[in-house]
Amino acid sequence: MTDAPFHDTGYKALFSLPELVQQLIEGFVTPDIAQLLDFSTLELVAGSFVTPAMQSREEDVVWRVKMADTMLYLYLLLEFQSTPDAAMPVRMVQYVAALYDSLIKEKRVDPRRLPPVLPVVLYNGERRWRAATDIGEVIECPPVLRAYQPRLRYYLLDEGRTATTNWRRYGTWWRGYLRWRMRRGRKRRWRW
């Protein structure tokens, strides 16, 4: 990771704005999820989350939003990932567990009825992200033990891959941002 503190802080500032979070979800996440969310209920969740390794996750942004009859937590992992990270599935399990632990300790949720979490990883490196997006993909075990293994999939927003898709459907701000990112310091030149 390069320039992580600068970029992480910049991302955190951007994703502390509900309008940009809404554009992110509506523009990049599957419509099946986006159409279920009531964006007028977006609420920034304050706090820092400590992983089992005692590392604070203060740069991440967590939002609550109403989804049907429940509240969904959007966990935005705001790290400036310049290279794919094969350990990301393990890290995401830790981060989501830290979020649940924090919610339980602060008595925001009933530990017997945890709310859903949509973990999102923002990646802006040159190479394609080929790391697993589900912890179950990296656990090797006999079929008889499969049911006892953790399951968690995160949503990957790969800026390089996203820019090659139908970019016109994205919000005005996102279109400009992706155009700027693709032209700034990249070996490839994208035509818009």
Side-chain angles (χ1 to χ4, degrees), residues 81-84 123-129 158 160-161 181-182 184-188 190:
Q81 285 295 140
S82 59
T83 58
Y123 170 66
N124 55 7
E126 289 282 335
R127 298 186 338 213
R128 287 280 176 143
W129 185 277
D158 181 341
R161 183 169 171 247
R181 285 289 303 149
M182 289 300 113
R184 183 180 170 266
R186 299 278 178 144
K187 293 176 185 171
R188 298 181 284 216
W190 300 91

Side-chain angles (χ1 to χ4, degrees), residues 24-37 39 118 155 169:
L24 173 80
I25 299 303
E26 288 179 334
F28 298 97
V29 177
T30 176
D32 294 345
I33 294 172
Q35 68 187 6
L36 295 175
L37 304 180
F39 290 104
L118 174 61
Y155 185 85
R169 75 184 178 118

